[in-house]
């Protein structure tokens, strides 16, 4: 059964890498800022940008909302694409403060489908970022798909070749128990195996999924 395959992948990854304690962030707001800043960069760079925001005393919705994008950009420079990301953060803050008075508790009362649609309506927030926010900041049972998920699932024949974001997501969601803790850990573990082994050129020797059936070509 497909769910057995997916749980076997999970078991093997968890046995090797252990709990990942995602998402790193002290508050839901910090998690959201991190999810927006982590697009196209590694987490170490995001941590530096968040440290700058904390040191400047502006890691709150109200403070960041009051700040111009041109003042925000230098603080998040370590995260790369800082002018674009400053605008994306401002887009999010305009929505949060304009529609909900900057109150994340009010946002937390929105049902998952509506909240996902609203997040996707914010310029610069795509499916992976929206779903990361839903899962890690609002603890909704939404499976986050990224390049690593598609790569690992494709190479082991768990999804059809060329499956898109929503097809891969549907596959995981329909095959697994709807469990926030499982989805949290599973995504983090796929990132681990992707970074360490399942690179553009796979390094299967020693990978925890080495024993699983592979597609013949990838
Ligand atoms: S590196 Fe090889 S064994 Fe590991 S997940 Fe990728 S394809 Fe599978």
């Amino acid at each position: 059964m497909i769910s057995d395959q997916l749980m076997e992948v999970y078991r093997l990854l968890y046995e090797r890498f252990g709990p990942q304690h995602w998402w790193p962030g002290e508050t839901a707001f910090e998690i959201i800022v991190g999810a927006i800043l982590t697009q196209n960069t590694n987490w170490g760079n995001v941590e530096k940008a968040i440290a700058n925001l904390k040191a400047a005393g502006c890691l709150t919705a109200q403070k960041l909302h009051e700040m111009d994008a041109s003042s925000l950009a230098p603080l998040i420079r370590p995260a790369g694409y800082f002018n674009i990301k400053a605008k994306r953060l401002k887009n999010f803050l305009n929505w949060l403060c304009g529609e909900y008075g900057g109150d994340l508790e009010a946002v937390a009362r929105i049902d998952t489908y509506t909240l996902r649609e609203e997040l996707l309506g914010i310029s610069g927030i795509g499916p992976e970022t929206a779903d990361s926010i839903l899962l890690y900041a609002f603890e909704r049972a939404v499976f986050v798909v990224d390049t690593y998920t598609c790569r690992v699932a494709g190479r082991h024949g768990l999804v059809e070749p060329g499956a898109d974001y929503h097809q891969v997501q549907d596959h995981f969601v329909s095959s697994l128990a709807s469990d926030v803790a499982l989805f949290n850990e599973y995504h983090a573990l796929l990132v681990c195996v992707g970074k360490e082994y399942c690179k553009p050129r796979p390094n299967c020797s020693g990978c925890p999924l080495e024993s699983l059936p592979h597609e013949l070509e990838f």
Side-chain angles (χ1 to χ4, degrees), residues 5 9 22 48 68 164 167 208:
Q5 288 175 317
V9 168
W22 274 36
K48 289 177 197 152
D68 290 338
D164 67 16
Q167 289 167 328

Side-chain angles (χ1 to χ4, degrees), residues 116 120 125-134 142-145 165-166 169:
R116 188 173 195 272
L120 288 173
I125 295 195
E128 184 184 336
T129 305
D131 290 339
S132 296
I133 291 171
L134 287 166
V142 173
F143 200 90
V144 180
V145 174
Y165 187 101
H166 290 107
Q169 185 178 51

Side-chain angles (χ1 to χ4, degrees), residues 152 155-156 193 197-199 202-204 207 209-210 214 218:
V152 172
R155 286 174 173 172
H156 286 283
V193 76
Y197 294 97
C198 207
K199 302 179 181 185
N203 180 15
C204 299
C207 175
L209 304 187
E210 186 181 8
H214 286 64
F218 50 72

Side-chain angles (χ1 to χ4, degrees), residues 166-181:
H166 290 107
Q167 289 167 328
V168 175
Q169 185 178 51
D170 284 349
H171 180 73
F172 276 83
V173 169
S174 61
S175 307
L176 296 170
S178 181
D179 180 335
V180 172

Side-chain angles (χ1 to χ4, degrees), residues 60-105:
T60 69
Q62 296 303 347
K63 294 247 172 76
L64 287 181
H65 188 230
E66 287 163 7
M67 192 181 272
D68 290 338
S70 58
S71 305
L72 174 56
L75 292 171
I76 61 168
R77 177 182 280 268
Y81 304 100
F82 49 93
N83 285 319
I84 294 169
K85 290 182 180 178
K87 282 192 191 130
R88 289 178 180 169
L89 271 176
K90 294 297 288 181
N91 293 341
F92 171 78
L93 290 157
N94 287 340
W95 169 79
L96 176 63
C97 295
E99 303 292 327
Y100 298 98
D103 182 4
L104 281 182
E105 288 184 13

